[in-house]
C-alpha cells in the first residue's frame, strides 16, 4: 500500500494483480505432491513477476505482459512453451491483450514459433492500426520487431506429445489433460496505482484441433476485455461457449448498464448464463476499485492473486 500526498490531501494508492493457469484441474488422486508444488511454484513466480512491476510503480499493462510471459515460459501450462499439439503435430498459439484507459487492444491467432505470443499481441496493439492478426502475417510482424522465435523442439513436451499420439488418428479433440477436463489457457488482470486496468490471455488451444480452430482467447470481448470504467477480464474454458456468450464484455455491460457489482456480474455470467449455454470454465476479474473475483463453474482453476499490502492467494481446487 502506498499513500502519496497530493496538495493538502492524501490519496490512497493501491494495486492488485490476479493470474490463472486454466480452469478445470488434474484429479486430486492423480496430482502428486511434487506436481502440485510445481504448479504452485509456477503460479507464484508469475504472480511475483507481475507484482514486482506494480510495486515499482509500473503500469497494469506491463504487469500483465510480464505475468503472462512467465506463464508462457512454463511448460506446465498450455501456452507458449507448454502448448499442445494440433492434429498435424504443430503448435498453433493465440493471445490477446487490452488496456482499459483508451480501450486499445491487440491479438494474434494461429501463430507458430513465437516464444511469447502475448508480446506479439501487444506489438499489434502498439505498432499497428489493427486489433487481430493471424498466421504468417502476424509472424511477419514479430520478425520485423525482432521478437524471439524458437524451433519446434522448444515447444516439445513428452506429456503433451503422448496426449496427441493417443487421439491423433481420431476426429476428437481433448483439453489440456486427458481423462478429465482442464482448459489450457493462461491469463492475468491488473489494476495499477494510477487506477488503470489491463488484461491479457494466451493459449495453445485444444490437443488434436483441426482446421486452424481458434477459440475465445484472441477475441476481444470474449476471452479478454478491459475498461477503466468497469473491469478487466481474462477467461479460461471451452472457448466456443465463451465466444457465443461474449463473456468478458457481458460482465462489463452488466456493470455499466445495470449497475451490478463485479461479483454480481461475474456470478450471473459464469454461474448462470454460461452454465445455461452448456459452457464450462472460469475467469479472473478486477474492477476500477481494485476488487477482484476468481470465479469458475468447473472443479477448479489454477489461480493466484495479490493486493498491495496483502498476502498472496494461490489455489487450485475450490
Amino acid at each position: 500500500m502506498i499513500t502519496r500526498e497530493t496538495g493538502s490531501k492524501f490519496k490512497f494508492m493501491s494495486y492488485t494483480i490476479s493470474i490463472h493457469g486454466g480452469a478445470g484441474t488434474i484429479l486430486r488422486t492423480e496430482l502428486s505432491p511434487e506436481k502440485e508444488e510445481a504448479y504452485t511454484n509456477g503460479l507464484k513466480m508469475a504472480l511475483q513477476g507481475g507484482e514486482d512491476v506494480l510495486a515499482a510503480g509500473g503500469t497494469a499493462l506491463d504487469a500483465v505482459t510480464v505475468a503472462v510471459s512467465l506463464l508462457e515460459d512454463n511448460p506446465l501450462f498450455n501456452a507458449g512453451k507448454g502448448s499442445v499439439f494440433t492434429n498435424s503435430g504443430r503448435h498453433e498459439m493465440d493471445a490477446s491483450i487490452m488496456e482499459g484507459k483508451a480501450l486499445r487492444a491487440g491479438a494474434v491467432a494461429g501463430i507458430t514459433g513465437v516464444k511469447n505470443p502475448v508480446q506479439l499481441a501487444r506489438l499489434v496493439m502498439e505498432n499497428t492500426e489493427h486489433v487481430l492478426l493471424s498466421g504468417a502475417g502476424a509472424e511477419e510482424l514479430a520478425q520485423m520487431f525482432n521478437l524471439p522465435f524458437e524451433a519446434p523442439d522448444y515447444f516439445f513436451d513428452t506429456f503433451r506429445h503422448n496426449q496427441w499420439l493417443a487421439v491423433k488418428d481420431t476426429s476428437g479433440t481433448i483439453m489440456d489433460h486427458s481423462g478429465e477436463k482442464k482448459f489450457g489457457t493462461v491469463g492475468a488482470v491488473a489494476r495499477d496505482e494510477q487506477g488503470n486496468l489491463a488484461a491479457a490471455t494466451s493459449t495453445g488451444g485444444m490437443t488434436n484441433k483441426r482446421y486452424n480452430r481458434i477459440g475465445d482467447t484472441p477475441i476481444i470481448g470474449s476471452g479478454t476485455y478491459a475498461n477503466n470504467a468497469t473491469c478487466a477480464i481474462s477467461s479460461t474454458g471451452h472457448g466456443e461457449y465463451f465466444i457465443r456468450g461474449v463473456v468478458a464484455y457481458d460482465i462489463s455491460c452488466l456493470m455499466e448498464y445495470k449497475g451490478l457489482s463485479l461479483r454480481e456480474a461475474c456470478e450471473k455470467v459464469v454461474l448462470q448464463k454460461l452454465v445455461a449455454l452448456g459452457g464450462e470454465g472460469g475467469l479472473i476479474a478486477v474492477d476500477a476499485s481494485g476488487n477482484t473475483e476468481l470465479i469458475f463453474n468447473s472443479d477448479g482453476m489454477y489461480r493466484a492473486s495479490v493486493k498491495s499490502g496483502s498476502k498472496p492467494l494461490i489455489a487450485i481446487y475450490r
Side-chain angles (χ1 to χ4, degrees):
M1 293 183 293
I2 299 175
T3 305
R4 291 179 179 164
E5 188 174 0
T6 305
S8 59
K9 296 182 179 180
F10 284 88
K11 186 177 181 182
F12 177 75
M13 309 292 286
S14 63
Y15 63 77
T16 182
I17 182 169
S18 299
I19 65 172
H20 71 76
T25 58
I26 301 175
L27 298 175
R28 285 183 184 270
T29 55
E30 297 180 8
L31 185 61
S32 67
E34 294 78 15
K35 197 67 173 283
E36 182 172 0
E37 182 180 9
Y39 274 109
T40 299
N41 287 339
L43 291 168
K44 185 183 300 182
M45 182 180 299
L47 185 70
Q48 186 65 61
E51 185 185 11
D52 286 347
V53 173
L54 297 172
T59 67
L61 191 62
D62 285 343
V64 298
T65 303
V66 168
V68 171
S69 293
L70 288 168
L71 290 167
E72 289 174 336
D73 291 343
N74 190 328
L76 287 174
F77 302 103
N78 178 16
K81 183 176 176 64
S83 294
V84 297
F85 288 80
T86 68
N87 177 261
S88 61
R90 302 170 70 244
H91 304 280
E92 294 175 0
M93 301 172 288
D94 309 326
S96 62
I97 194 166
M98 186 169 184
E99 56 87 17
K101 184 177 182 179
L103 304 185
R104 295 182 303 155
V108 292
I111 62 171
T112 62
V114 178
K115 182 182 179 184
N116 292 109
V118 70
Q119 295 177 22
L120 179 53
R122 185 165 173 176
L123 270 182
V124 174
M125 180 182 75
E126 295 182 331
N127 293 279
T128 79
E129 59 184 329
H130 309 301
V131 172
L132 176 60
L133 300 183
S134 68
E139 293 159 19
E140 180 183 355
L141 181 71
Q143 291 167 346
M144 286 175 57
F145 284 88
N146 298 314
L147 277 188
F149 276 72
E150 297 289 349
D153 286 351
Y154 171 83
F155 300 95
F156 182 90
D157 179 81
T158 300
F159 176 72
R160 307 283 190 210
H161 192 248
N162 288 339
Q163 280 184 317
W164 172 58
L165 291 178
V167 295
K168 74 181 186 72
D169 294 324
T170 74
S171 60
T173 58
I174 60 175
M175 300 302 177
D176 193 357
H177 292 285
S178 55
E180 73 287 334
K181 293 180 180 177
K182 179 181 181 298
F183 305 102
T185 309
V186 305
V189 297
R191 177 191 184 276
D192 60 32
E193 291 179 353
Q194 291 71 46
N196 293 315
L197 305 181
T201 315
S202 182
T203 187
M206 293 179 173
T207 296
N208 206 44
K209 67 179 181 180
R210 296 171 181 259
Y211 318 119
N212 299 114
R213 177 263 182 188
I214 296 168
D216 66 307
T217 291
I219 299 180
I220 301 302
S222 292
T224 303
Y225 190 72
N227 185 333
N228 278 7
T230 54
C231 60
I233 305 282
S234 175
S235 306
T236 171
H238 196 147
E240 279 69 15
Y241 294 97
F242 281 74
I243 294 170
R244 289 164 56 190
V246 199
V247 165
Y249 185 60
D250 196 15
I251 290 172
S252 177
C253 284
L254 288 169
M255 296 176 67
E256 182 175 3
Y257 300 123
K258 297 203 71 173
L260 270 62
S261 68
L262 181 68
R263 174 168 294 182
E264 291 170 336
C266 288
E267 289 180 347
K268 185 171 185 65
V269 172
V270 177
L271 303 183
Q272 297 178 35
K273 299 178 76 172
L274 193 57
V275 170
L277 279 177
E280 186 176 352
L283 55 85
I284 54 176
V286 61
D287 68 13
S289 299
N291 300 306
T292 60
E293 292 295 328
L294 299 87
I295 187 168
F296 48 95
N297 61 36
S298 49
D299 290 335
M301 183 168 71
Y302 295 79
R303 62 201 186 276
S305 183
V306 67
K307 294 183 179 181
S308 49
S310 301
K311 292 183 178 180
L313 162 73
I314 299 176
I316 297 176
Y317 297 98
R318 290 189 179 278

